[in-house]
Every structure is written in structure tokens, then in C-alpha cells.
Amino acid sequence: MADKKIDIKKKVKKEVDVRDLTICDATQQMLLKARKDGVETAFDRALDMKPCPIGSQSACCKNCSMGPCRLNAKDPYAKVGVCGATVDTIQSRNFARMVATGAAAHTDHGMAMLELFREVVRGNIADYKIQDTRKLEEVAQSIGIETVGRSVEDIATDLYEQLEATYTQIEGEIPFAKRVPPKTLETWRKYGLVPRGAMIEVMELLHRTHIGVDQHYDNITKQSSRCALSDGWGGSMVATEIGDILFGTPTPVAVDVNMGVLKEDEVNVIVHGHEPNMFESMVSSVNDPELIKAAQAAGAKGINLVGMCCSGAEMMSRHGVPHAGNFMSTEAVLATGAVDAMCVDIQCIKQGLATAAECYKTKFITTNRRAHIEGATHIEFDDHEPRACTDEIVIQAIGRFKNRSLPIEIPKITNPGIHGFSHEYINYMLGGTFRASYTPLNDNIINGRIRGVAGVVGCTNPRVKQDWVHVELVKELIKNDVLVLQTGCAQIALAKAGLYTPEAAHLAGPGLKEVCETVGMPPVLGIGSCVDNSRILIAASEMVKIGGLGDSIADLPAAGAAPEWMSEKAISIGQYFVASGVYTVFGVTFPTMEGTKFQKLLFDGLESTYGLGKWDFVADPYEMAQKMIAHIDKKRKALGIDKARERVLMDMDSRREMEAKYQAM
Ligand code: NFS
């Protein structure tokens, strides 16, 4: 069938049972089909490509041409690089470069949103407008802009001008530093961690990793923190806040997730990537009566728009657009044969998609000037004329639908759930219309019904069974009364496992279950894409501000995890969570060597010496949950609220005991 058949058996030495590769039923089904069709995916390539043992421990340096230098993976201090660089210098420089790249990705995305905002504010763009003026005012007030009695245009102009500093400011502190709890900010100031503009932080970090510049792992890591903070409290936060102002702040919405959202009798268009502007324009294209008519003329019942990965998660949260799957399902979904066009913008877009799309005759379209892919059609997206790009993509998709010649097999699986919990909505949901506040959340943490809060975020990775680590970890956490917040591909993993329904509260421990049932919320709250991790930072700051849970983010009974991470963005996110005071555990692998001073700094010193959070690495989901819970309990104890929880649990037990006695009577 497929034009570009690859003999998978020859290529992949070891054929592994698909059930060992993923717990996603739809992905399993499509992997089997892809194998039958002779189409390769990242799962096959991962089996064929053993990770380099030295590289995975970050024990090599190729920052100059005297090397590349490889250190001894067994004895990290047995050797140094040609320039004399120690293992700690090499590892911290490699780590810093990951932070810089990840932070650059998020901040460049945020910058693109801010540029769009500027053009809207200046009246240069007709297709987008400010949709959430309340959010505009709130964001403006949060950084000290006067809003009372002023026009939307004036406030927006000031906001644009001030937020530009998030990127360009060469001295002083970025605007959103004003949102950081005072004690956390004090710690940053003490150690020189408060970010200036992201451009200068990324530039300085990369400079310091050049041969012969910063050669003290501790000092390099300080700049890694500062750079990462310019992402979390800077670029990512701008991306989220401007996204809300322009496209609306998410509120809970019922959405279907999984490959069953594709429709055999409609033109299927998938948008996969990260920036919401192209996706927003696509929403208006697929609803254009002329284009719908054209689709019908081609024999389709309509046009079906579906998201994947992070822009999918963002559009799902904002507008209820159905979602077909996370990072490790993007090639597999093409094996359905039902995808008429997959259009992409930036980040996490596998180059392998071009070949898979060619095999299934799917139109594979790049749209962003920063991301071309060999073998893809490029239709450039321009904010000033967005529909020119997205209309053309729909026309191409209709053309593909008309000429569909390959068999279609869509896994009949959809998982309904409630998504779209912005921090504003969590505030409202727990506090009520007239007293929107985090007070009830804090109260429930203090009284012990909710043991603590965990962010479980990040990617999927073919080095571990797709979705499995996420699902097991989250189940374990909620069972132990930990409320889980999620973003990105992690959120999709749990949605497919059915945890985004209020009924999933029965999987929670007694205290969390009670809160979920009272409020009518699922035990796991999905808050959007990876840049929306900034919503977690804001929620954490609010919790500190409300009081009763300490003076800084580091005092909160909270933990973070990226159990199936793979991207450099994940490392930047991890570093800004750690620098903000959060205990953060990564799974899969961790780019350091056991027993090195650098690893000790990340896993201990950042907390014990600097009063920040700290990193940890655990591959096993149950052990990961235990460590996160132990950390939460440690914080509860330090706050003196550990006893309250014991009382609540005893109350629940004695209530049950009473009930049992009553029934036996
Ligand atoms: Ni996040 Fe989004 Fe997914 Fe990982 Fe990639 S899509 S920004 S990096 S893989 S969660």
C-alpha cells in the first residue's frame, strides 16, 4: 500500500510486543497497523538506537575542537577534559545548555504571543482581538499598572510596553517578579537569581558555557536558575497570560480525548505544535461556510478539527477542541489513514512525521518561519493575514479527502473528561462567585483532607512504556489525598486513563474524595500546555499569600514531577520549579553522574545551602510517589499541620467504624 515502504523487520532487530511499548490502546492498535504497512515510528527507532552510555550521564564535552572529550563513566574523577575541565564543570555546562535551549523555546514562543498582542493593540491586525478584558486588567494590576477609569487600549498599551521588558530588560527585575512571594524573592535577591530579560539571561548562560569561561559548577548553576526563572516567571508566563487575554481564560469544558475523535466521513485536520495563534485561525477556517460547502462537495459530512500535544492541550482547555493524543502518538495517528492534513508550527514535531505522512498520503504542512521540515509542504503563517494560511491548509485537506485511496482504520476509543482549570477558575471553584479565593484550598490542606499538591507534567518518551509511569504515579498520589495539577502530554495520558471525570474521585483517598465530591471536580486538574505550568507558579504564590502554609513557595506541602520527560524544555521547567522552591522529581533518566559534586548540588545543595527546592531522579512510579509524599509530609510537619491530618483521617476511620457497627445492628 504505502509508497514509502520500509522493511521494519530488517530495520528493527528486536520486534517487541506493542503492549510493552505503550498502555495507550489506540496507539498499540496503530503501531500494529504501521508495522503491517511497513511504516516506522519513534518506538521502532528507539529500539534500534541504544542511548550512548557516556552521553546519557552527561560525561562528555564537545564544546571545542580539542575534544570531544569523554570521561570515564565508572570513575567520574579519574579523568578531566583536554582543557582540564572536571566532570562537574562538564555536566553543569551541558545541563546549562539544556536549560538555555528550553528557556529559549518557551520565551521565543512567549515573545511571538507578545508581538501578536502588540499588533492587535496598535490596530494592525483585524483577525484577533482582546477577548478577556477582565484578565487584561488583572494582569496589568499585578504589575502595578493603573486600570481604574482607563480605556482597554490604554491599559493594553502600557501592558505591552512593560511586558516587553520580560525579554529585553538589561538591568533590574522582570515585571512578573512582582508576583513572587516576598520571601521567595528575598532568597533570589540574596543569591543574584532574580532574572533580567530572558534574552540576556539566555545569552549570558550560553556565554558562560563556552570553553574557558565559567568553570565552577555552582556558579554555572546559579545562572541556570536565573535563566530558567526568566522562562517560568517570564516567557512562559507571558505566553499564558497574553494567550488568555487574546483568546479567553479557560473554564472547565467537557472534551473527548483519544484517536476515536477522528471521523471517517469528515475531512480530518490535526494541528500539532505549541503556539495558539495558528490554531485559533484554524478554528475560524474550519467553521467557514464556504469551506464547509467545499468539504461537502467533496463528499465529506464536514470538517473535523483535532489537536495534538501542547497546542492541542491549550485549545482543548480554552475551546473544547477534541484531542487525539500526546507526543508519542503523533506518528501512530497517521496510520489511521484518516488524517487528511497534519499542520505543525514549532517544538516537539518529530522529523519522522514527514516520512510517515508520505506513506499515508497525509498532507504534512509546516507553517512557522522558524521550523521547516524536509519533505513537508511549507505554507507560512502570518498573524496579519492568518486565514490565508489556514484556509489553504483546509483546501489541501479537502483535496486529500477527495482522493482518499488507502484503507482507513480509526481506533474506536474516546475518553470524555473535564479540562480547562485555569488558576482563576480554581480560585472561583473552591471559593465561590463572591469570595473567589484559595482560602478553602489552604483550609483543606491545613485540616488535612488534602495532604498536599503535586504538579505532574511533561512529555512521553519511547524509553519507557508510554503513559504508564504517568498513570501509575498519579493514581498513587490521589490515593494518598494529594491533589494533582497537570499540563501538556502528561494531562493527555491521564485523560486517556479516564481520570478527568468527577467520577474518578472514587480513586482518591477519603479526604481528597470528600473535597472532589463537594465541589464536583475530578481529582486531577488539567490546566493546559507546558507554558501553562506558569499557572502552577501563580497558584502556588496565591496559596502563600492566603496564609497558613508558610512564607515562601518552598514552605508549601507541594512537589513536582515529569515522569516521562524527554525535551530540553522539561529541564528548564524543572529548574525553574526547583529555583522557585519546589521538590521536583524526574523519571526515565537524569543527565548527571552518580556521586559527582554537581549531582549533589542539584539533589541536595540547592535546598540545604540556598533554601530553594531540589531535584531528584526516580524511574519507578510507586517509589516516585512515595518520595513526593514523604516530601509533602516533611513540609506539613515543618508547618505544624501534620497532626491535623491524623485527626481528619482518624475521624474518617471512626466514622466508617460507626457506620459498620450501625449496619451490623
Ligand atoms: Ni511539553 Fe509540549 Fe509534550 Fe513534552 Fe513536547 S508537546 S511543551 S515538551 S512532548 S509535554
Side-chain angles (χ1 to χ4, degrees):
M1 49 139 294
D3 290 343
K4 205 159 190 172
K5 260 197 173 180
I6 296 162
D7 190 343
I8 280 283
K9 295 223 176 66
K10 226 192 272 164
K11 201 154 168 39
V12 181
K13 291 166 209 142
K14 219 169 40 172
E15 189 163 298
V16 170
D17 189 329
V18 290
R19 288 169 299 185
D20 292 330
L21 300 177
T22 171
I23 60 162
C24 170
D25 293 332
T27 304
Q28 284 176 9
Q29 188 182 333
M30 287 304 104
L31 288 181
L32 289 174
K33 179 165 186 295
R35 279 182 184 171
K36 204 172 69 213
D37 297 340
V39 175
E40 168 188 90
T41 69
F43 287 102
D44 304 307
R45 292 188 293 270
L47 290 167
D48 202 36
M49 173 88 66
K50 219 171 145 255
C52 164
I54 298 173
S56 61
Q57 292 194 311
S58 206
C60 57
C61 178
K62 57 181 180 64
N63 294 11
C64 81
S65 73
M66 294 192 289
C69 298
R70 300 185 305 165
L71 303 194
N72 188 329
K74 290 205 180 80
D75 182 359
Y77 291 101
K79 265 188 182 179
V80 292
V82 174
C83 69
T86 64
V87 68
D88 297 304
T89 301
I90 289 172
Q91 289 187 128
S92 58
R93 281 199 306 222
N94 291 342
F95 194 82
R97 286 186 172 203
M98 294 179 89
V99 170
T101 312
H106 285 143
T107 49
D108 200 21
H109 165 177
M111 184 80 189
M113 290 303 104
L114 195 63
E115 277 171 3
L116 169 61
F117 182 62
R118 180 192 62 214
E119 291 302 278
V120 170
V121 173
R122 291 184 182 166
N124 296 334
I125 291 184
D127 291 78
Y128 303 101
K129 59 181 191 320
I130 292 174
Q131 294 198 25
D132 194 338
T133 49
R134 184 173 160 183
K135 176 93 187 207
L136 171 78
E137 287 179 7
E138 280 167 9
V139 177
Q141 283 159 10
S142 76
I143 55 170
I145 295 171
E146 185 57 61
T147 58
V148 180
R150 299 186 70 204
S151 70
V152 165
E153 289 69 29
D154 284 351
I155 300 169
T157 303
D158 280 4
L159 184 64
Y160 168 73
E161 279 167 9
Q162 292 219 18
L163 288 186
E164 203 187 48
T166 306
Y167 304 94
T168 55
Q169 184 169 335
I170 52 172
E171 56 180 0
E173 299 176 350
I174 52 169
F176 285 143
K178 295 194 179 74
R179 292 175 154 189
V180 181
K183 199 171 153 216
T184 305
L185 192 59
E186 197 185 300
T187 308
W188 294 357
R189 283 186 181 143
K190 185 169 162 198
Y191 298 112
L193 306 182
V194 191
R196 299 155 293 176
M199 287 173 180
I200 202 155
E201 298 307 351
V202 171
M203 179 173 74
E204 183 173 326
L205 186 55
L206 287 175
H207 172 202
R208 291 213 213 166
T209 67
H210 188 275
I211 159 103
V213 187
D214 202 350
Q215 285 151 105
H216 197 301
Y217 65 98
D218 198 350
N219 204 42
I220 293 169
T221 307
K222 273 190 193 139
Q223 181 58 21
S224 290
S225 295
R226 200 176 189 189
C227 181
L229 290 170
S230 78
D231 168 357
W233 296 86
S236 281
M237 202 172 275
V238 168
T240 295
E241 301 297 59
I242 294 297
D244 284 355
I245 291 169
L246 287 176
F247 310 124
T249 305
T251 52
V253 56
V255 198
D256 281 336
V257 172
N258 217 327
M259 290 188 201
V261 299
L262 295 172
K263 295 186 180 147
E264 183 155 1
D265 52 7
E266 294 196 18
V267 176
N268 290 303
V269 177
I270 289 184
V271 180
H272 156 31
H274 284 81
E275 292 181 352
N277 45 350
M278 186 262 284
F279 209 146
E280 291 282 343
S281 173
M282 188 60 84
V283 171
S284 78
S285 290
V286 300
N287 285 303
D288 184 302
E290 290 302 312
L291 290 172
I292 295 173
K293 230 187 269 165
Q296 286 162 344
K301 277 204 173 139
I303 309 168
N304 182 35
L305 176 61
V306 164
M308 288 194 91
C309 286
C310 272
S311 44
E314 198 162 328
M315 294 303 280
M316 177 175 85
S317 297
R318 281 213 183 91
H319 306 303
V321 176
H323 197 290
N326 56 23
F327 176 68
M328 279 314 292
S329 301
T330 54
E331 288 166 305
V333 80
L334 297 178
T336 58
V339 184
D340 297 301
M342 176 183 270
C343 54
V344 298
D345 53 12
I346 47 156
Q347 299 169 19
C348 303
I349 298 145
K350 298 186 199 81
Q351 189 164 0
L353 283 167
T355 314
E358 199 184 334
C359 294
Y360 291 104
K361 302 190 194 308
T362 294
K363 302 280 179 188
F364 183 53
I365 300 160
T366 52
T367 59
N368 194 289
R369 68 178 165 78
R370 312 182 198 89
H372 290 226
I373 297 176
E374 247 188 291
T377 305
H378 188 76
I379 304 176
E380 196 144 309
F381 178 81
D382 178 354
D383 285 331
H384 296 85
E385 220 193 332
R387 289 285 300 274
C389 167
T390 51
D391 284 2
E392 176 57 26
I393 292 169
V394 174
I395 290 165
Q396 295 219 7
I398 294 171
R400 193 288 189 167
F401 178 91
K402 208 167 163 184
N403 297 313
R404 277 186 190 177
S405 55
L406 301 173
I408 289 183
E409 180 185 330
I410 301 173
K412 291 191 177 43
I413 308 168
T414 51
N415 304 102
I418 313 285
H419 298 263
F421 291 88
S422 53
H423 68 89
E424 288 88 350
Y425 193 82
I426 297 173
N427 217 356
Y428 158 73
M429 171 177 72
L430 292 165
T433 323
F434 299 110
R435 50 181 189 105
S437 123
Y438 277 78
T439 307
L441 176 63
N442 281 28
D443 286 349
N444 277 310
I445 292 174
I446 293 165
N447 69 27
R449 275 191 194 86
I450 296 176
R451 190 175 200 151
V453 180
V456 178
V457 306
C459 327
T460 51
N461 182 325
R463 298 290 171 205
V464 294
K465 203 193 286 182
Q466 181 193 6
D467 297 343
W468 182 77
V469 197
H470 283 296
V471 171
E472 295 306 305
L473 170 66
V474 170
K475 280 187 175 166
E476 205 58 28
L477 289 170
I478 62 170
K479 197 167 90 191
N480 285 284
D481 292 318
V482 176
L483 175 66
V484 175
L485 304 180
Q486 291 206 283
T487 57
C489 293
Q491 179 174 338
I492 304 307
L494 270 295
K496 288 187 288 175
L499 269 83
Y500 274 88
T501 57
E503 297 73 46
H506 78 271
L507 295 168
L512 178 60
K513 185 171 164 232
E514 200 186 325
V515 175
C516 290
E517 285 174 350
T518 311
V519 182
M521 68 179 197
V524 185
L525 303 181
I527 58 175
S529 67
C530 275
V531 291
D532 295 331
N533 283 317
S534 59
R535 297 190 201 276
I536 301 181
L537 296 177
I538 299 170
S541 308
E542 284 296 314
M543 287 164 71
V544 173
K545 212 199 285 168
I546 290 297
L549 293 174
D551 302 326
S552 72
I553 296 177
D555 293 336
L556 294 173
E564 300 184 26
W565 77 282
M566 62 87 200
S567 75
E568 290 162 313
K569 288 179 291 175
I571 291 287
S572 177
I573 293 168
Q575 187 67 22
Y576 75 61
F577 269 105
V578 167
S580 299
V582 181
Y583 169 66
T584 303
V585 200
F586 271 35
V588 192
T589 179
F590 199 81
T592 55
M593 243 194 271
E594 284 280 327
T596 55
K597 286 186 272 183
F598 176 60
Q599 196 190 59
K600 278 187 201 137
L601 173 71
L602 296 186
F603 286 18
D604 176 37
L606 292 179
E607 185 186 63
S608 56
T609 312
Y610 295 105
L612 307 172
K614 63 179 177 184
W615 283 92
D616 207 346
F617 162 66
V618 188
D620 177 76
Y622 312 108
E623 197 190 327
M624 193 181 279
Q626 269 170 26
K627 285 192 146 191
M628 292 167 80
I629 293 166
H631 178 82
I632 285 170
D633 285 350
K634 186 176 92 182
K635 294 292 172 185
R636 293 189 67 87
K637 197 165 182 197
L639 290 165
I641 54 170
D642 48 332
K643 295 281 178 285
R645 180 172 158 74
E646 280 164 25
R647 271 197 304 277
V648 165
L649 293 184
M650 215 152 56
D651 284 348
M652 297 294 292
D653 281 349
S654 35
R655 202 188 307 165
R656 241 186 260 119
E657 215 179 288
M658 265 167 58
E659 268 170 15
K661 269 188 205 151
Y662 187 72
Q663 277 161 9
M665 268 159 67

